[in-house]
């Protein structure tokens, strides 16, 4: 393999830049050429492709977002769109591709491999919802953004003796809610993987109130429903005054944490090494602090699971 490409796709996450940097620098270290593909699969189809040098990825390791930009591309879901992509890769003499993105981007990469084009994926998403890896690039940063917000809200919640509902990202995966709720000492954590009962939430609020608690924090993953609706349900059935904060896209931005930068660097280098050793259709991840790779078909067949022990712990500690 003499020339590879790299792209970022789908929802961006902090640390994608560090991953791009690692792919570029490792490739150059291994004396192969590396091309950056801009705007995800859209740029691949359109041939928005440029050679990367060492300096192309200078001064980005600490920046959120992605210097290659990202996109959602409906055309790439079609066979025709995928073949246009393969043609562009061939035109530029690119022999292998690293795709950094979430599960949608993984499906695009799976198609490229099926069409005979060697592709390796890296988990770039704040949601931590990719099977075969303990952590995704960006999750830790998003989590710390959420915790920063929860700590601040806790201050004002205490002053006014209110119940705060904080809605965090996670349509299908409750990881951000679970981890930030646990780290933020939330009374209740609502995640899409576990059904909730408003009566149980109310009971927890009452118990806390009776023993003199000045504030209550409830963390809700967006996939459970709107924080505003949960607040209405609480106000309709109790005397508690509620306020709602929706964290939204601030969770996607910001300078990546050291953890995310190191993770991205390790995964990015591994992707290059796999391509060089002739591997294709592999999803790179981290498990028990070792860098691993799994067949992408297997990864895409597995459901995302929440850590049940951690969920149980969160219930026990917020009694
Ligand atoms: P994420 O990668 O963050 O999950 P999306 O689900 O939006 O984000 O996927 C990103 C892009 O990956 C899509 O816009 C599309 O170009 C491509 N993609 C998603 N699903 C498929 C599929 N089944 N086949 C081919 N490409 C796909």
């Amino acid at each position: 393999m003499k020339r590879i490409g790299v792209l970022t796709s789908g929802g961006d996450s902090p640390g994608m830049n560090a991953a791009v940097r690692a792919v570029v620098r490792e490739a150059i270290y291994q004396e192969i050429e590396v091309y950056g593909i801009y705007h995800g699969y859209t740029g691949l189809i359109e041939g928005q492709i440029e050679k990367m040098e060492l300096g192309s990825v200078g001064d980005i390791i600490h920046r959120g977002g992605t210097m290659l930009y990202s996109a959602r591309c409906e055309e790439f879901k079609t066979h025709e769109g995928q073949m246009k992509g393969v043609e562009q890769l061939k035109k530029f003499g690119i022999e292998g591709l690293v795709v950094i993105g979430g599960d949608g981007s993984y499906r695009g990469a799976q198609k490229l491999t099926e069409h005979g084009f060697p592709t390796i994926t890296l988990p770039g998403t704040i949601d931590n919802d990719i099977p075969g890896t303990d952590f995704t690039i960006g999750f830790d940063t998003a989590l710390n953004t959420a915790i920063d917000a929860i700590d601040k809200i806790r201050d004002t919640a205490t002053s006014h003796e209110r119940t705060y509902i904080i809605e965090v990202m996670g349509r299908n995966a409750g990881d951000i809610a679970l981890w930030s709720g646990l780290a933020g000492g939330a009374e209740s954590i609502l995640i899409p993987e576990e059904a909730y009962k408003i009566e149980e939430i109310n009971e927890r609020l009452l118990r806390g109130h009776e023993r003199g608690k000045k504030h209550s924090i409830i963390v809700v993953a967006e996939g459970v429903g709107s924080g505003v609706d949960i607040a209405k349900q609480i106000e309709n059935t109790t005397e508690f005054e509620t306020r709602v904060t929706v964290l939204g896209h601030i969770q996607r931005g910001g300078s990546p944490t050291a953890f995310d930068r190191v993770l991205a660097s390790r995964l990015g280098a591994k992707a290059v090494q796999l391509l060089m050793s002739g591997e294709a259709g592999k999803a790179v991840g981290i498990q028990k602090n070792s860098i691993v790779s799994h067949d992408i078909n297997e990864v895409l067949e597995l459901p995302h699971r929440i850590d049940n022990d951690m969920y149980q712990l969160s219930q026990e500690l917020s009694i």
Side-chain angles (χ1 to χ4, degrees):
M1 191 151 299
K2 286 272 159 273
R3 187 177 292 175
I4 64 166
V6 56
L7 64 80
T8 51
S9 163
D12 69 330
S13 70
M16 276 185 162
N17 272 330
V20 171
R21 174 182 180 273
V23 170
V24 170
R25 296 262 166 107
E26 178 71 13
I28 295 173
Y29 173 78
Q30 300 283 356
E31 299 183 339
I32 59 174
E33 290 182 339
V34 55
Y35 280 64
I37 298 152
Y38 290 82
H39 298 108
Y41 293 125
T42 304
L44 177 60
I45 288 174
E46 293 174 0
Q48 298 177 33
I49 302 174
E50 274 175 24
K51 187 161 186 249
M52 310 287 278
E53 310 290 351
L54 287 175
S56 312
V57 289
D59 207 24
I60 62 167
I61 194 165
H62 61 305
R63 291 187 202 283
T66 160
M67 58 126 3
L68 290 178
Y69 304 103
S70 190
R72 295 204 153 89
C73 175
E74 281 305 307
E75 193 182 355
F76 202 72
K77 292 183 182 171
T78 66
H79 180 78
E80 205 188 13
Q82 292 153 18
M83 294 320 289
K84 279 189 198 168
V86 172
E87 274 164 36
Q88 289 287 2
L89 289 162
K90 286 190 177 148
K91 194 171 115 190
F92 281 84
I94 296 168
E95 298 163 291
L97 180 66
V98 180
V99 168
I100 306 163
D103 63 338
S105 305
Y106 271 42
R107 289 186 196 283
Q110 180 186 37
K111 292 289 176 204
L112 286 172
T113 302
E114 278 172 23
H115 300 318
F117 195 87
T119 306
I120 304 286
T121 56
L122 301 185
T125 164
I126 62 167
D127 291 327
N128 211 37
D129 61 348
I130 306 276
T133 187
D134 295 341
F135 296 105
T136 59
I137 299 165
F139 172 64
D140 187 63
T141 307
L143 187 57
N144 279 285
T145 301
I147 266 298
D148 184 45
I150 290 170
D151 288 349
K152 285 174 176 152
I153 288 167
R154 182 189 277 272
D155 290 344
T156 174
T158 311
S159 307
H160 291 279
E161 305 195 19
R162 282 176 186 143
T163 296
Y164 268 84
I165 290 113
I166 301 164
E167 186 187 311
V168 298
M169 278 188 164
R171 266 193 218 110
N172 304 307
D175 291 52
I176 295 179
L178 177 56
W179 283 68
S180 66
L182 185 56
E187 266 66 45
S188 294
I189 301 170
L190 312 191
I191 55 174
E193 293 88 345
E194 296 281 339
Y196 76 91
K197 287 201 189 101
I198 199 72
E199 297 79 18
E200 273 178 27
I201 297 172
N202 290 345
E203 272 170 34
R204 281 174 187 275
L205 291 175
L206 278 169
R207 275 205 301 270
H209 184 70
E210 277 163 12
R211 67 180 174 83
K213 268 191 98 161
K214 297 278 182 241
H215 58 255
S216 290
I217 305 259
I218 299 170
V219 177
V220 185
E222 63 177 330
V224 173
S226 144
V228 175
D229 288 343
I230 310 276
K232 275 190 196 138
Q233 289 181 53
I234 293 171
E235 290 214 343
N236 287 341
T237 47
T238 67
E239 300 289 310
F240 294 113
E241 195 186 347
T242 62
R243 291 289 185 277
V244 182
T245 302
V246 180
L247 296 189
H249 281 81
I250 62 164
Q251 294 161 94
R252 284 262 194 89
S255 177
T257 58
F259 180 89
D260 274 330
R261 297 182 204 186
V262 172
L263 176 66
S265 301
R266 293 174 76 188
L267 299 183
K270 178 73 172 182
V272 175
Q273 291 155 12
L274 287 174
L275 281 175
M276 289 187 70
S277 58
E279 299 272 7
K282 289 278 158 67
V284 185
I286 186 166
Q287 286 176 320
K288 297 184 177 143
N289 201 27
S290 290
I291 304 304
V292 296
S293 64
H294 300 287
D295 187 302
I296 192 163
N297 301 313
E298 287 170 18
V299 165
L300 285 172
E301 273 166 23
L302 289 171
H304 168 64
R305 287 194 205 288
I306 201 82
D307 185 328
N308 286 323
D309 290 344
M310 197 183 290
Y311 183 72
Q312 177 59 27
L313 178 66
S314 75
Q315 300 286 100
E316 291 172 14
L317 300 189
S318 61
I319 190 166

